[in-house]
């Protein structure tokens, strides 16, 4: 009996050992199979990635090769054309040199004939006094002699104001050799400077829509500048049809002649204003005017605890170093080439909760101050719950806006679980129906290369270099502009696993924002100069006129004059700012546009005055 029991126990132990051995063998076999499958999968992904990379490199090399060939062909063609032109010029010069002896002979005969005629006629004529005979040469040509009227404006600029508000329409101007009538005033010591210019160069930084109205040959027009005592007064264009067009602060007026008689202008000159009045008029016309539409994003508290943003726009203006009243309105008031637009973030019901929706629309003269909202939009942002998608606007320009999309997982049981956080750049004309443009749409092949290089570097530095970007088109849309040290920069973002398990990573793109995205981004006061004066400042903007600096802190907007690339000793104004506000838009205007932008801002918005002069600064203290 005992022997059988021992045998049974041995059999059981042997069976257990055999089962354990089989399990270990199967585990090792499965592990090897999984490793092989993973290796094959990774090899395939790497091969695909390498193939795409090689294809792009080959495409780039082919493009560069084609460009070089085209450049060489163009150079050869230009050299041939230059050689032909030089041969023609040499032939003409040789012909002229051969003709010169004959021309000299004819000229000598002509001079001799004139001398004989004068000599024969001198006996029958009285010799005048020398003072009557010797007359200094006088330039009788005046580019637009007579009296003219600025009949109509040829193009409505960025005003949103009807033509009836245009004070220059119907204004009379008159020109004589030394006198000009303009804006009801008489100016003397007039001089004219006429230059022939290339239309594309002249309108490079001006309103190019006027080119559709002008008639020009060989891409050239005449530009006439009128000066009084070396002070600039007036400018007008003469096209190939001899039409005169007045240019006033990039506004264009058709000039219609109402009288050839310039006597009325000369008669009015006899009653010209005194010297002091004249200087005042010149100073008024040369007053330095700067205006700024400053768009801000302001954090607010919400019932779901996630927080949100509201948006607003400040109107700040400065005339000859004096700060005018500063206005504020809700939402973003945006100047564009075809007029003013409003931009809003609306709260719409979606399939999984509340979703933010961006909306932009053009302001018209008949729209008034009432901005219409969608019927389904929520107006009480503090009381809403179960948010699915929120959009934070981080930049607004003339044609593009940048947003950060935050998608919440409403099925996770907690309101603050984020499933995705992406950047997008959207065209203002189509904010709601476009998922975003690609960096290549903005910066071409350089944008694609900058994105790829930055992603490779950030993955290597983070230890995720084995991750492969499967959706390249979506990744190319994951970029936006951000503000740093007083300038706008491109920023990209990558989500390593697109599951929310790994944190997203931001990276800088080695690109300069193009002019169609950021029209003006110049600092006339160095960042270090500003931080030395205000260590707690977060941002600074300076005007193209180099007369006004706008500095932001957490709670205030500080205004300074600019004196030789430095802030003035005295602060011009201090404007309260809601804590945590961030600038998302800065659009400047100059000259007569300042009053026009201000009229449009007040007319089309519910505004309130947030700064009304030095008294406000005293109260703030």
């Amino acid at each position: 009996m005992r022997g059988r029991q021992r045998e049974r126990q041995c059999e059981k132990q042997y069976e257990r050992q055999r089962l354990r051995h089989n399990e270990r063998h199967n585990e090792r076999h499965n592990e090897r199979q999984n490793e092989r499958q993973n290796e094959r999968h990774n090899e395939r992904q790497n091969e695909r990635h390498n193939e795409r990379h090689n294809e792009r490199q080959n495409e780039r090399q082919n493009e560069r090769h084609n460009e070089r060939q085209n450049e060489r062909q163009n150079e050869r063609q230009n050299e041939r054309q230059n050689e032909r032109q030089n041969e023609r010029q040499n032939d003409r010069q040789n012909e002229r040199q051969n003709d010169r002896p004959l021309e000299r002979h004819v000229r000598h005969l002509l001079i001799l004939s004139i001398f004989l005629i004068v000599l024969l006629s001198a006996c029958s004529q009285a010799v005048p006094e020398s003072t009557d005979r010797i007359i200094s040469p006088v330039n009788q040509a005046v580019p637009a002699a007579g009296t003219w009227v600025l009949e109509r404006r040829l193009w409505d600029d960025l005003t949103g104001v009807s033509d009836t508000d245009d004070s220059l329409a119907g204004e009379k101007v008159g020109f004589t050799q030394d006198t000009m009538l303009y804006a009801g005033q008489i100016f003397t010591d007039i001089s004219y400077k006429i230059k022939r210019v290339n239309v594309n160069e002249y309108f490079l930084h001006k309103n190019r829509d006027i080119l559709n109205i002008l008639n020009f040959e060989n891409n050239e027009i005449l530009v006439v500048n009128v000066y009084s005592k070396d002070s600039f007064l007036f400018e007008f264009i003469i096209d190939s049809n001899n039409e005169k067009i007045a240019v006033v602060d990039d506004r264009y007026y058709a000039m219609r002649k109402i009288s050839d008689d310039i006597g009325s202008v000369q008669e009015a000159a006899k009653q010209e204003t005194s010297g002091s009045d004249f200087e005042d008029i010149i100073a008024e016309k040369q007053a330095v005017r700067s205006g700024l539409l400053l768009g801000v994003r302001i954090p607010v508290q919400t019932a779901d605890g996630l927080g949100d943003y509201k948006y607003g726009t400040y109107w700040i203006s400065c005339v000859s170093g004096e700060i005018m009243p500063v206005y504020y309105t809700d939402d973003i008031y945006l100047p564009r080439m075809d007029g003013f637009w409003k931009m809003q973030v609306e709260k719409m019901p979606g399939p999984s909760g509340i979703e933010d929706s961006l909306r932009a629309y053009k302001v018209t003269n008949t729209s008034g101050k009432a901005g219409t909202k969608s019927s389904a939009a929520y107006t009480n942002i503090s009381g809403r719950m179960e948010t699915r998608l929120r959009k934070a606007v981080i930049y607004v320009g003339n044609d593009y806006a940048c947003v950060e999309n935050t998608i919440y997982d409403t099925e996770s049981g907690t309101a603050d679980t984020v499933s995705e956080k992406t950047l997008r750049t959207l065209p203002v004309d189509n904010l709601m129906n476009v998922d975003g443009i690609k960096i290549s749409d903005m910066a071409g092949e350089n944008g694609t290369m900058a994105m790829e290089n930055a992603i490779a570097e950030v993955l290597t530095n983070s230890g995720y270099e084995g991750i492969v970007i499967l959706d390249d088109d979506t990744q190319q849309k994951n970029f936006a502009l951000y503000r740093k040290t007083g300038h706008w920069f491109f920023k990209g973002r990558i989500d390593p696993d697109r599951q929310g398990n790994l944190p997203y990573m931001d990276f800088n793109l080695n690109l300069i924002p193009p002019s169609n995205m950021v029209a003006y981004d110049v600092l006339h006061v160095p960042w270090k100069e500003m931080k030395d004066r205000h260590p707690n400042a977060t941002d600074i903007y300076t005007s193209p006129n180099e007369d006004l600096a706008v500095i932001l802190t957490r709670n205030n907007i500080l205004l300074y004059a600019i004196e030789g690339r430095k802030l003035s000793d005295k602060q011009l104004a201090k404007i309260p700012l809601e804590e945590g506000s961030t600038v998302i838009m800065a659009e400047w205007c100059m000259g007569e546009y300042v009053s026009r932008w201000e009229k449009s801002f007040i007319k089309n918005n519910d505004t309130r005055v947030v700064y009304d002069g030095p008294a406000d600064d005293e109260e703030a203290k």
Side-chain angles (χ1 to χ4, degrees):
M1 292 293 292
R2 292 180 179 175
R4 291 178 182 177
Q5 288 179 352
R6 289 178 182 175
E7 288 177 356
R8 289 175 184 174
Q9 287 179 350
C10 290
E11 289 176 356
K12 290 179 181 179
Q13 288 179 352
Y14 174 77
E15 185 67 19
R16 289 173 186 170
Q17 290 177 352
R18 187 177 64 82
L19 290 174
R20 289 175 185 172
H21 177 74
N22 290 336
E23 287 176 355
R24 292 174 184 172
H25 177 74
N26 292 334
E27 287 177 356
R28 292 174 184 172
H29 179 70
N30 292 333
E31 287 176 357
R32 289 173 185 172
Q33 282 188 330
N34 291 332
E35 288 176 356
R36 290 173 186 171
Q37 288 178 352
N38 291 332
E39 288 175 356
R40 291 173 185 171
H41 179 69
N42 292 332
E43 287 175 357
R44 290 174 186 171
Q45 283 188 329
N46 291 331
E47 287 175 357
R48 293 173 186 171
H49 179 71
N50 291 332
E51 287 176 357
R52 293 176 184 172
H53 182 69
N54 292 332
E55 288 175 357
R56 290 174 184 166
Q57 282 188 330
N58 292 332
E59 289 175 356
R60 293 170 190 166
Q61 289 177 353
N62 292 332
E63 288 176 356
R64 293 173 184 170
H65 179 69
N66 293 332
E67 289 176 357
R68 290 173 185 171
Q69 283 187 331
N70 293 331
E71 289 176 356
R72 291 172 185 171
Q73 291 178 354
N74 292 331
E75 288 175 358
R76 291 173 185 171
Q77 289 178 355
N78 293 331
E79 288 175 358
R80 291 173 185 171
Q81 287 181 344
N82 292 332
E83 288 175 358
R84 292 172 185 171
Q85 289 178 354
N86 292 332
E87 289 176 356
R88 292 174 185 172
Q89 289 179 355
N90 292 331
D91 291 339
R92 291 173 185 170
Q93 286 181 348
N94 293 331
E95 291 175 359
R96 291 173 183 171
Q97 289 177 355
N98 294 330
D99 293 336
R100 280 178 183 173
L102 180 60
E103 291 177 357
R104 290 175 184 171
H105 182 66
V106 173
R107 191 180 300 129
H108 290 160
L109 291 176
L110 182 60
I111 293 172
L112 181 59
S113 300
I114 294 173
F115 176 76
L116 290 173
I117 293 171
V118 173
L119 181 63
L120 292 173
S121 61
C123 298
S124 60
Q125 292 183 359
V127 180
E129 295 295 330
S130 61
T131 54
D132 294 332
R133 287 191 287 112
I134 303 174
I135 301 175
S136 61
V138 177
N139 183 9
Q140 299 289 344
V142 176
T147 305
W148 304 72
V149 63
L150 305 186
E151 189 172 34
R152 68 188 186 281
R153 186 166 63 186
L154 297 180
W155 182 260
D156 290 331
D157 295 311
L158 308 175
T159 60
V161 182
S162 63
D163 289 339
T164 57
D165 296 328
D166 190 348
S167 60
L168 285 179
E171 186 69 51
K172 292 181 180 179
V173 293
F175 306 95
T176 69
Q177 191 174 1
D178 60 356
T179 307
M180 178 184 175
L181 168 67
Y182 177 45
Q185 301 293 334
I186 301 299
F187 301 93
T188 57
D189 293 338
I190 293 297
S191 61
Y192 301 91
K193 293 184 180 180
I194 307 173
K195 53 186 175 182
R196 188 180 300 274
V197 300
N198 181 280
V199 292
N200 294 315
E201 293 178 359
Y202 180 76
F203 287 100
L204 181 62
H205 300 292
K206 299 178 183 290
N207 190 341
R208 297 183 62 86
D209 294 299
I210 193 66
L211 293 177
N212 298 324
I213 302 172
L214 286 176
N215 294 296
F216 47 86
E217 296 178 354
N218 300 323
N219 287 329
E220 290 182 338
I221 55 173
L222 291 178
V223 177
V224 181
N225 292 325
V226 186
Y227 295 83
S228 174
K229 300 179 181 178
D230 295 327
S231 296
F232 173 79
L233 284 181
F234 195 75
E235 179 176 290
F236 61 92
I237 297 170
I238 305 177
D239 68 5
S240 57
N241 289 344
N242 204 32
E243 296 289 337
K244 275 76 172 178
I245 299 172
V247 182
V248 183
D249 284 331
D250 205 21
R251 289 175 294 149
Y252 303 87
Y253 296 85
M255 294 172 58
R256 180 173 59 85
K257 198 170 190 177
I258 58 177
S259 175
D260 289 323
D261 182 17
I262 59 177
S264 58
V265 178
Q266 291 176 328
E267 182 64 25
K270 296 179 181 179
Q271 302 174 1
E272 62 179 302
T273 56
S274 63
S276 59
D277 293 337
F278 175 83
E279 297 298 333
D280 291 341
I281 295 166
I282 294 294
E284 173 64 21
K285 290 189 174 294
Q286 293 180 340
V288 179
R289 299 179 178 90
S290 295
L292 174 64
L293 284 172
L294 194 70
V296 294
R297 183 183 74 238
I298 307 167
V300 295
Q301 298 294 325
T302 56
D304 55 13
L306 300 179
D308 202 356
Y309 298 100
K310 63 180 181 179
Y311 299 88
T313 306
Y314 290 87
W315 166 249
I316 301 170
S317 60
C318 176
V319 178
S320 295
E322 181 180 355
I323 302 300
M324 299 293 103
V326 177
Y327 297 90
Y328 174 84
T329 188
D330 293 331
D331 299 322
I332 299 300
Y333 196 66
L334 171 66
R336 304 190 67 198
M337 287 302 296
D338 59 347
F340 283 99
W341 286 50
K342 284 187 180 181
M343 182 173 165
Q344 300 169 335
V345 180
E346 298 179 338
K347 317 300 175 182
M348 308 291 292
S352 302
I354 302 301
E355 296 184 357
D356 286 353
S357 176
L358 269 63
R359 177 171 176 259
Y361 59 92
K362 184 179 179 181
V363 174
T364 63
N365 290 332
T366 58
S367 65
K369 298 184 179 182
T372 59
K373 288 183 176 290
S374 301
S375 58
Y378 286 84
T379 56
N380 181 13
I381 64 172
S382 63
R384 56 195 173 87
M385 300 289 286
E386 295 296 328
T387 300
R388 167 64 177 168
L389 169 64
R390 286 187 177 171
K391 294 178 179 287
V393 181
I394 54 182
Y395 172 78
V396 179
N398 295 138
D399 297 319
Y400 298 97
C402 299
V403 299
E404 182 180 54
N405 297 325
T406 303
I407 301 177
Y408 294 93
D409 186 1
T410 55
E411 298 179 357
S412 65
T414 57
D416 59 349
T417 301
V418 177
S419 64
E420 192 173 357
K421 212 174 184 70
T422 60
L423 302 175
R424 287 294 185 268
T425 297
L426 309 169
V428 174
D429 291 319
N430 197 8
L431 290 173
M432 292 188 291
N433 300 323
V434 176
D435 181 45
I437 62 173
K438 296 189 291 186
I439 188 67
S440 57
D441 298 330
M442 213 68 234
E445 186 65 21
N446 291 333
T448 302
M449 293 177 62
M451 176 76 79
E452 292 176 352
N453 294 336
I455 289 175
E457 182 179 356
V458 73
L459 288 178
T460 300
N461 294 335
S462 61
Y464 299 141
E465 62 270 17
I467 294 177
V468 179
I469 305 301
L470 299 178
D471 192 347
D472 187 57
D473 286 343
T474 300
Q475 180 57 53
Q476 283 215 18
K477 297 178 182 178
N478 205 356
F479 76 97
L481 287 179
Y482 74 105
R483 190 79 176 169
K484 181 180 179 182
T485 62
H487 295 285
W488 293 104
F489 294 91
F490 275 123
K491 175 174 70 174
R493 177 172 292 176
I494 183 173
D495 187 354
D497 62 353
R498 297 185 60 82
Q499 302 295 326
N501 297 323
L502 296 176
Y504 67 84
M505 292 175 286
D506 289 345
F507 52 87
N508 297 330
L509 290 174
N510 189 21
L511 291 171
I512 298 176
S515 58
N516 63 340
M517 193 169 188
V518 180
Y520 174 77
D521 191 26
V522 179
L523 274 187
H524 295 295
V525 174
W527 178 263
K528 185 178 183 301
E529 157 73 12
M530 183 272 292
K531 292 294 284 185
D532 288 343
R533 290 281 297 273
H534 294 282
N536 296 326
T538 58
D539 207 350
I540 179 174
Y541 299 82
T542 59
S543 69
N545 275 333
E546 304 181 34
D547 64 325
L548 179 63
V550 180
I551 299 174
L552 283 89
T553 66
R554 287 190 59 84
N555 302 99
N556 294 288
I557 301 174
L558 310 178
L559 305 182
Y560 283 87
I562 300 176
E563 299 174 351
R565 293 184 60 81
K566 291 186 177 182
L567 300 175
S568 60
D569 294 334
K570 182 180 179 182
Q571 180 178 287
L572 297 180
K574 183 177 182 180
I575 305 162
L577 182 71
E578 292 194 53
E579 186 172 355
S581 297
T582 303
V583 172
I584 61 173
M585 180 190 76
E587 295 291 336
W588 290 94
C589 65
M590 298 177 291
E592 292 194 14
Y593 284 106
V594 174
S595 61
R596 295 173 180 275
W597 283 28
E598 181 172 300
K599 289 178 182 178
S600 180
F601 186 80
I602 296 173
K603 177 180 179 180
N604 295 307
N605 295 287
D606 291 320
T607 62
R608 69 176 188 269
V609 177
V610 294
Y611 176 83
D612 199 17
D616 286 357
D617 289 336
E618 294 297 329
E619 293 178 2
K621 293 178 182 179

